[in-house]
Amino acid sequence: MRAIWTGSLSFGLINVPVKMYSGSESRGGIDLKMLHEKDMSPIRYARICKADGQEIPYEEIVKGYEYQPGDYIILTDKDFEKIDVARTKTIDIDEFVNESEIDIRYFEKPYYLEPAKGAEKAYILLREGLKRSNKIAIARFVLRNRESLAAIKPVGHGLVLEKMYFPSDLRSPGELNLPNSKVDKKELDVALKLIDHLTEPFIAEDFRDTYTEELEDVIDAKVKGQKPKSKSAMPKTTDSKDLMAMLKKSLESEKSKARVE
């Protein structure tokens, strides 16, 4: 893997030189090309100047900030270097918290942190401190000219930095029409039994991208000149008056599966 960031992980007066690596990648899905329906020619995306309609090469593109309508200032690499260098090269731990206190909406993307040579002892100290205390560290860092929140937690022998959104980044659900009526106690009791029956230890390896597998079957059939078969129809919305009956049917179905297994 190639490091996407190098700097120091700081807590208290301790600075741990680290390298950051992306902790995820998109392996699933089918790579579909955009084609011109008329002649099946691939479509490419171009950087077009709005003023003259001409395509612009990368080397002629600069970064600009529109400080008033139609007026821009250009920001160069030297301008970014004038910002506090320590902030762009340091992951600053502000506090330690219980992970259960963090709203799941804040989590964005994981990264691995690897200690630089000679920084292993301090790295291990932080990792073991987090494990023993059952806490995670909340930090701030700058990546690609933008400051982000982050949660740092131990995973195996390493430390994982989970990039987070700021509260201002999240959209409010206030405009959504969300129900707030009371639930029927009998229906809730059956729902809880169903939830309990479906509760299992989470094993990530048990899950895979079955949608892509089915899409590959469709593509394979079309390549062979066959007509793809429909797997299933859209499920019907459960009517409120049928809710209890469907809950009981679901519970009995899961109990039957358990007896067979």
Side-chain angles (χ1 to χ4, degrees):
M1 288 192 288
R2 183 174 63 86
I4 63 170
W5 183 93
T6 58
S8 293
L9 175 59
S10 172
F11 64 108
L13 297 177
I14 300 173
N15 289 290
V16 186
V18 294
K19 294 180 180 180
M20 183 188 296
Y21 300 84
S22 179
S24 63
E25 61 182 336
S26 179
R27 291 180 178 271
I30 300 296
D31 184 17
L32 299 176
K33 305 294 185 183
M34 299 304 234
L35 306 174
H36 184 193
E37 185 180 18
K38 182 179 179 180
D39 57 12
M40 293 298 156
S41 298
I43 303 299
R44 70 182 180 89
Y45 292 95
R47 301 165 298 280
I48 303 298
C49 176
K50 289 185 177 181
D52 57 19
Q54 299 298 310
E55 184 174 356
I56 308 300
Y58 271 118
E59 58 269 20
E60 294 182 17
I61 296 176
V62 296
K63 295 177 181 178
Y65 174 76
E66 188 175 19
Y67 62 93
Q68 63 184 28
D71 290 324
Y72 298 85
I73 56 170
I74 303 303
L75 292 173
T76 66
D77 291 340
K78 290 185 177 180
D79 291 321
F80 289 108
E81 291 171 1
K82 292 176 182 176
I83 301 173
D84 187 357
V85 177
R87 296 184 64 192
T88 62
K89 288 295 182 180
T90 306
I91 301 171
D92 287 310
I93 293 177
D94 291 328
E95 59 186 18
F96 297 90
V97 303
N98 296 314
E99 186 172 3
S100 60
E101 297 174 2
I102 303 177
D103 188 324
I104 192 173
R105 293 175 299 170
Y106 287 114
F107 294 121
E108 182 183 354
K109 184 178 180 180
Y111 296 88
Y112 293 118
L113 297 179
E114 177 190 58
K117 188 174 181 180
E120 293 87 356
K121 186 174 181 179
Y123 182 93
I124 293 172
L125 181 66
L126 177 58
R127 183 192 69 200
E128 294 306 306
L130 292 173
K131 284 184 178 180
R132 301 286 181 88
S133 64
N134 289 318
K135 305 287 184 183
I136 64 173
I138 299 298
R140 286 176 294 168
F141 73 105
V142 175
L143 180 64
R144 300 187 183 98
N145 301 324
R146 191 181 190 281
E147 187 175 51
S148 296
L149 274 178
I152 299 171
K153 48 191 172 183
V155 176
H157 295 302
L159 288 172
V160 171
L161 179 148
E162 184 83 21
K163 189 179 176 184
M164 298 171 64
Y165 293 108
F166 282 109
S168 58
D169 294 327
L170 298 181
R171 290 180 174 177
S172 170
E175 296 180 5
L176 302 181
N177 183 24
L178 303 177
N180 192 29
S181 56
K182 292 184 178 180
V183 66
D184 183 276
K185 185 179 183 305
K186 291 182 180 179
E187 292 174 346
L188 179 59
D189 288 341
V190 180
L192 289 171
K193 289 179 181 179
L194 179 59
I195 291 172
D196 183 64
H197 205 78
L198 291 171
T199 298
E200 300 282 351
F202 177 69
I203 303 174
E205 289 73 19
D206 289 344
F207 298 87
R208 67 182 196 277
D209 182 2
T210 55
Y211 178 84
T212 296
E213 293 174 0
E214 292 181 15
L215 185 55
E216 287 174 341
D217 291 339
V218 170
I219 292 171
D220 186 55
K222 297 198 73 169
V223 169
K224 294 177 180 178
Q226 302 170 353
K227 185 177 180 180
K229 297 179 180 179
S230 297
K231 295 281 185 176
S232 61
M234 284 292 293
K236 295 181 179 179
T237 301
T238 302
D239 193 290
S240 58
K241 64 183 180 181
D242 300 327
L243 191 55
M244 176 61 87
M246 296 306 292
L247 281 168
K248 289 182 177 179
K249 188 175 180 179
S250 298
L251 184 58
E252 286 303 316
S253 176
E254 291 303 322
K255 286 182 177 179
S256 297
K257 289 180 183 177
R259 285 193 291 268
V260 171
E261 292 173 358

